[in-house]
Amino acid sequence: MEVLKIIITVIFVLACIALSVCVLAQEGKSAGLSGSISGLADTYWGKNRSRSKEGGLLKATIALSAVFYIFSIILNVI
């Protein structure tokens, strides 16, 4: 049982580090004054956001936050 707890703790720490990197790598949501005038939704990247690097980071952040949540509950129960 102790080995399982160590393995889960290592996975949890790696997920924490990866989640921090994903969050810090994302751009801010505010595009400034130029973004509010021109409108991000009219650009190519606004329409295809899920296929861009930002979309990938968003999906990775969601997945890693789910892993973080699940493993934190498991570690609390063990």
Side-chain angles (χ1 to χ4, degrees), residues 1-75:
M1 190 68 164
E2 191 65 31
V3 174
L4 180 64
K5 187 173 182 177
I6 292 171
I7 292 171
I8 291 174
T9 304
V10 168
I11 293 171
F12 180 71
V13 169
L14 291 175
C16 290
I17 293 169
L19 181 62
S20 298
V21 169
C22 282
V23 168
L24 291 174
Q26 292 180 7
E27 293 179 3
K29 295 293 181 188
S30 63
L33 184 59
S34 63
S36 63
I37 293 172
S38 65
L40 184 63
D42 296 334
T43 64
Y44 173 76
W45 295 112
K47 293 178 183 175
N48 295 316
R49 185 171 282 289
S50 63
R51 296 183 198 151
S52 67
K53 181 182 101 170
E54 287 296 318
L57 282 173
L58 180 65
K59 290 178 184 176
T61 303
I62 292 170
L64 286 170
S65 63
V67 169
F68 173 81
Y69 182 72
I70 290 168
F71 277 97
S72 64
I73 291 174
I74 290 172
L75 283 173

